[in-house]
Amino acid sequence: MEHTLPHTISLLSRTPAALDALLRDLPEAWTLRNEGENSWSAFDVVGHLIHGERTDWIPRARIILQFGETKAFEPFDRWAQERESQGKSLGQLLDEFARLRSENLGELHALNLRQEDLDRRGRHPALGPVTLSQLLATWAAHDLTHIHQISRIMAHQYREAVGPWNAYLGVLQCAGHSAP
Amino acid sequence: MEHTLPHTISLLSRTPAALDALLRDLPEAWTLRNEGENSWSAFDVVGHLIHGERTDWIPRARIILQFGETKAFEPFDRWAQERESQGKSLGQLLDEFARLRSENLGELHALNLRQEDLDRRGRHPALGPVTLSQLLATWAAHDLTHIHQISRIMAHQYREAVGPWNAYLGVLQCAGHSAP
């Protein structure tokens, strides 16, 4: 389907509660383990989502609206959560993600975007020209890629416990398709 | 990690609320669309999870405890939800899944399983010998494989809307690894 702002917002507004319901107070054996060297735990992923709320989606939308293609976005730091999540609990991160997402959806609403705004182009430092519509669709799809990742990271912890059923569980065959 | 019953229960008890938070009242463009012919929508997946609660996990646990390897499990009908979900709304399915899961966790608790029970073997009609421990670990990993699938199905709907960002979104490269 084409990008529609109400569909994007409906998904963006649900992700914090979905992750909260899945992860809060879950044993750390599920949430702090990763898939091996240079990979992320569910805890790391929530930290990454927080960093996106702070530095990626709304800041980039503002750059597109203000500068168009004349100013490239700041590159996104994919390992920022290593610093920023230090000393925090997963519960604190889930709270922080929910608060920031809510604030950012308020900012998005206040932008009062019209179709001609959604068609405006900005410049991604690696991908080149992108539209505001594509940025906002990616915000939603980025949530989904990390729900996808979290379910895979957690399933990985049971890859041996399931015994011969591993052949039937698609999530255990998933290599992730992107780093990390 | 090895299978531990408390870890399995902690995950099983969260899945209904996580899916509820993600899917309830979401536009049907997200929940009723699939990935193409012979594939499932998020709505179909919730119906499949319901069928598992009715016919798979606890019934198979009872067969292991009662018959051991002498009686193979009934094969699981992977398309049962086509009949069983007809005429229902996604909200009704989410309610039904939550109710059945809660009842089944009550039954699991009442079985009062000891380690020697978890080590008991049953017979899968295709996979051969499996333990009760492996069955219960698979129940949890099966939730995760379908959260993984739902996030992929939904992301698929925005595969064009994200424009050049599709190269960065792992979920859009995922082919699913199992049918369907």
Side-chain angles (χ1 to χ4, degrees):
Chain A
M1 63 182 167
E2 293 193 5
H3 177 246
T4 66
L5 195 53
H7 287 170
T8 294
I9 291 170
S10 68
L11 201 148
L12 290 172
S13 63
R14 280 165 174 77
T15 306
L19 290 180
D20 198 281
L22 183 65
L23 298 176
R24 189 177 293 266
D25 297 328
L26 204 59
E28 293 186 347
W30 287 121
T31 58
L32 292 187
R33 297 191 194 188
N34 61 24
E35 297 171 285
E37 203 176 353
N38 284 323
S39 71
W40 292 358
S41 65
F43 178 89
D44 295 328
V45 174
V46 178
H48 166 78
L49 289 168
I50 287 170
H51 190 68
E53 294 302 305
R54 288 197 195 285
T55 69
D56 192 332
W57 313 107
I58 290 289
R60 287 182 170 187
R62 292 196 184 284
I63 289 172
I64 293 176
L65 292 169
Q66 194 172 351
F67 300 103
E69 291 185 71
T70 64
K71 181 177 172 180
F73 309 144
E74 292 291 317
F76 185 75
D77 180 356
R78 303 189 67 258
W79 294 90
Q81 67 277 359
E82 287 204 347
R83 302 186 301 280
E84 294 176 359
S85 299
Q86 264 186 17
K88 296 181 183 169
S89 69
L90 179 55
Q92 287 174 304
L93 293 187
L94 290 165
D95 289 341
E96 194 173 349
F97 177 48
R99 181 178 57 76
L100 289 169
R101 174 59 58 88
S102 173
E103 288 173 10
N104 281 332
L105 288 175
E107 291 213 38
L108 180 63
H109 182 73
L111 289 175
N112 196 21
L113 298 172
R114 298 153 302 172
Q115 187 58 47
E116 65 205 71
D117 298 315
L118 293 171
D119 294 338
R120 287 200 66 180
R121 297 171 111 190
R123 186 155 53 88
H124 187 283
L127 298 171
V130 289
T131 66
L132 179 54
S133 175
Q134 289 166 345
L135 174 73
L136 297 175
T138 301
W139 190 4
H142 181 264
D143 278 7
L144 293 169
T145 216
H146 287 295
I147 293 173
H148 187 257
Q149 181 186 23
I150 286 172
S151 63
R152 189 188 72 231
I153 297 165
M154 289 169 60
H156 180 80
Q157 312 311 322
Y158 262 14
R159 67 196 180 283
E160 287 164 13
V162 300
W165 267 289
N166 62 11
Y168 287 2
L169 293 162
V171 68
L172 293 178
Q173 326 307 326
C174 183
H177 322 289
S178 66
Chain B
M1 62 180 168
E2 293 194 4
H3 177 246
T4 66
L5 195 52
H7 287 169
T8 294
I9 291 170
S10 68
L11 201 147
L12 289 172
S13 63
R14 280 167 174 76
T15 306
L19 290 180
D20 198 282
L22 183 64
L23 299 176
R24 189 177 291 268
D25 298 328
L26 203 60
E28 293 186 346
W30 286 121
T31 59
L32 293 187
R33 296 191 192 186
N34 61 23
E35 296 172 285
E37 204 177 353
N38 286 321
S39 71
W40 292 358
S41 65
F43 178 88
D44 296 328
V45 174
V46 179
H48 167 78
L49 289 168
I50 288 171
H51 191 67
E53 293 302 305
R54 288 197 196 286
T55 69
D56 193 331
W57 313 107
I58 290 290
R60 287 182 170 188
R62 292 196 184 284
I63 289 172
I64 293 176
L65 292 170
Q66 194 170 353
F67 300 102
E69 291 185 70
T70 64
K71 181 178 173 181
F73 309 143
E74 292 290 319
F76 186 77
D77 180 356
R78 303 189 69 260
W79 294 90
Q81 67 277 359
E82 286 205 347
R83 302 187 300 280
E84 295 176 359
S85 298
Q86 264 187 18
K88 295 181 183 168
S89 69
L90 179 56
Q92 286 174 304
L93 294 187
L94 289 165
D95 288 341
E96 194 173 348
F97 177 48
R99 182 177 57 75
L100 290 168
R101 174 59 59 88
S102 173
E103 288 173 10
N104 282 333
L105 289 175
E107 290 213 39
L108 180 64
H109 183 71
L111 290 174
N112 197 20
L113 298 172
R114 297 154 302 173
Q115 188 57 47
E116 64 205 71
D117 299 315
L118 292 171
D119 293 339
R120 288 201 64 180
R121 296 171 114 195
R123 186 154 54 87
H124 187 284
L127 298 172
V130 289
T131 66
L132 179 54
S133 175
Q134 289 167 345
L135 175 73
L136 298 176
T138 302
W139 191 3
H142 181 263
D143 278 8
L144 294 169
T145 216
H146 287 295
I147 293 172
H148 186 256
Q149 180 187 23
I150 285 172
S151 63
R152 188 189 71 231
I153 297 165
M154 289 168 61
H156 181 80
Q157 312 311 322
Y158 262 15
R159 67 196 180 283
E160 288 165 13
V162 299
W165 268 290
N166 62 12
Y168 286 3
L169 293 162
V171 68
L172 293 177
Q173 326 307 326
C174 183
H177 321 290
S178 67

